[in-house]
Amino acid sequence: MTKTILNALLLLVLLVPAQAVIFNNLALFGVALPLVFIYVLISLPVTLATNWVLTIGFLSGLAVDVFSDTPGLNAFSCTVLAFVRRPVLRLYVPQDEELGAVSLGLQSLGQENYLKYMISMVVLYCTLVFTIEAFELFNLRLWALRIVCSSLYTFVFVYAFASLASRSSRREKRL
C-alpha cells in the first residue's frame, strides 16, 4: 500500500505543476478549462484507506490552489471528490464484485464501468469548482456552459491518461 501512495504522490508531483503551468493556459474561449490533476484521485485504489484518500485529495487541491491563486477552491472540491469516490464507484460496480485492483482503470473496471465512473467524477468536480467560483447563479448560461465544456475537455485528457496507463500496464504484463 505504501508503494501505491508513493506512486500517487509522484504522479501528483508531475501533474500539479503541469496543471498550473500548462493546462491552466489551455483554456478554450475562456470557458473550457482542463482539470487533469484529478486523474490521481480518480485512479486511486478502492482498498486505500479513506483517511489517505482524503489527505491526498486535500493536498492535491491545496497545491493547485497555491500555484493557481485560487484560495481553497480546489482544496475543497478535491476533498469532496475524495469523499464521494467510493459511493460513486458503487453506483456502477456491483457490491459482490471484487475491487481489490492495484488502481482503478480501464483494465480493472472494464471500459463501460470506468467511463461511467470517470464521467461522474469529472462532472461532479467541474460542478463544484465552477459553482464555488461563481458563488452566485447570476449568469446561469455561462455557469452551465463552463461546467459542460470543462467536463468534456477534462474528460478527454483524463481518458487519454487512463488509456496510456492501461497500455503501459498491458506491456508490463507481457514482459
Side-chain angles (χ1 to χ4, degrees), residues 22-100:
I22 298 168
F23 295 110
N24 282 352
N25 295 316
L26 291 178
L28 291 179
F29 310 111
V31 176
L33 180 69
L35 301 162
V36 298
F37 72 98
I38 64 170
Y39 171 71
V40 176
L41 292 175
I42 291 172
S43 64
L44 286 173
V46 178
T47 56
L48 190 61
T50 305
N51 58 347
W52 279 109
V53 174
L54 290 171
T55 303
I56 291 170
F58 176 75
L59 291 177
S60 63
L62 185 64
V64 171
D65 283 336
V66 167
F67 284 120
S68 302
D69 196 29
T70 53
L73 176 75
N74 290 295
F76 174 76
S77 299
C78 283
T79 305
V80 170
L81 195 70
F83 184 74
V84 300
R85 191 175 72 95
R86 192 173 286 167
V88 168
L89 182 63
R90 285 294 177 200
L91 290 173
Y92 306 116
V93 179
Q95 290 283 358
D96 56 342
E97 206 170 299
E98 181 61 35
L99 291 174

Side-chain angles (χ1 to χ4, degrees), residues 144-163:
L145 185 65
R146 289 188 79 187
I147 290 172
V148 170
C149 292
S150 293
S151 294
L152 290 172
Y153 203 22
T154 301
F155 170 77
V156 168
F157 280 103
V158 171
Y159 187 73
F161 287 149
S163 296

